[in-house]
Amino acid sequence: MTIYPCGPKPTKKPKARKRLPRTKDSERASLVRACDYECRYQVKRLALGCCEHCGCRPSVDNPLDWAHGDGRAQVWALRYAHSGTFALCRDCHRAFEQDRSAFLEFRRSMVSDFAWAQIETLKQARPRVGIEELKLILVDLKRSVFRQGER
């Protein structure tokens, strides 16, 4: 064993990892996060910080959630549509997850007949939302396209 007069044996610095160039997948993921953030903010703002079902104010035990009528796997095109997103307290959100028929009834009561027909058409078409569409959605969300009474 070699003893060094100045202390322990010097070690090599680990090589810095090279950052991989951004790919379309990572660009898409960052756009989805940005759209999620903006849509969540707009929906909660329009709900005036209250649950759209029971009207309660959020608390530490029961925060306000951003709920979707349809998930990403079902219909991407409706994920950011105002007629497909709601501000629900955690209790209502969990109750609706357990009873989908009650949620469907609530959701149907929140939109006009015309909007409901559009939702049903989009569900059947299941259009793909690409990077360019996500960029446009983000611009619309930042411009605060959601207005009171739009549903």
Side-chain angles (χ1 to χ4, degrees):
M1 183 167 133
T2 307
I3 299 176
Y4 295 93
C6 299
K9 179 179 178 182
T11 58
K12 286 185 178 179
K13 265 187 153 177
K15 288 184 180 179
R17 289 185 356 185
K18 290 183 181 177
R19 290 192 71 162
L20 297 174
R22 288 185 70 176
T23 62
K24 285 190 175 184
D25 290 336
S26 64
E27 184 180 1
R28 181 180 173 83
S30 64
L31 280 169
V32 167
R33 281 191 302 275
C35 287
D36 282 355
Y37 176 82
E38 289 294 329
C39 191
R40 182 183 309 112
Y41 171 77
Q42 294 292 340
V43 168
K44 289 180 178 183
R45 180 182 64 83
L46 285 177
L48 303 175
C50 297
C51 175
E52 292 185 66
H53 182 249
C54 68
C56 74
R57 289 267 180 206
S59 65
V60 174
D61 297 333
N62 191 19
L64 198 60
D65 288 341
W66 175 46
H68 303 280
D70 300 289
R72 288 182 189 170
Q74 294 171 345
V75 185
W76 257 100
L78 291 174
R79 180 168 179 80
Y80 305 111
H82 190 48
S83 58
T85 58
F86 307 94
L88 297 174
C89 67
R90 181 77 41 93
D91 292 341
C92 290
H93 196 178
R94 286 183 178 157
F96 281 146
E97 284 177 351
Q98 299 300 318
D99 187 6
R100 292 300 291 174
S101 61
F103 180 66
L104 187 63
E105 189 178 310
F106 163 73
R107 183 177 177 198
R108 179 68 183 94
S109 71
M110 294 292 287
V111 297
S112 66
D113 292 335
F114 179 73
W116 189 256
Q118 285 181 322
I119 289 169
E120 292 300 319
T121 303
L122 277 171
K123 279 184 177 180
Q124 291 173 1
R126 297 183 77 141
R128 171 115 171 97
V129 176
I131 290 175
E132 295 306 316
E133 290 85 359
L134 283 170
K135 288 178 182 176
L136 293 173
I137 288 169
L138 185 58
V139 168
D140 287 346
L141 289 170
K142 286 187 175 183
R143 284 186 186 157
S144 233
V145 169
F146 292 171
R147 307 252 189 271
Q148 257 344 46
E150 184 182 299
R151 290 183 209 248

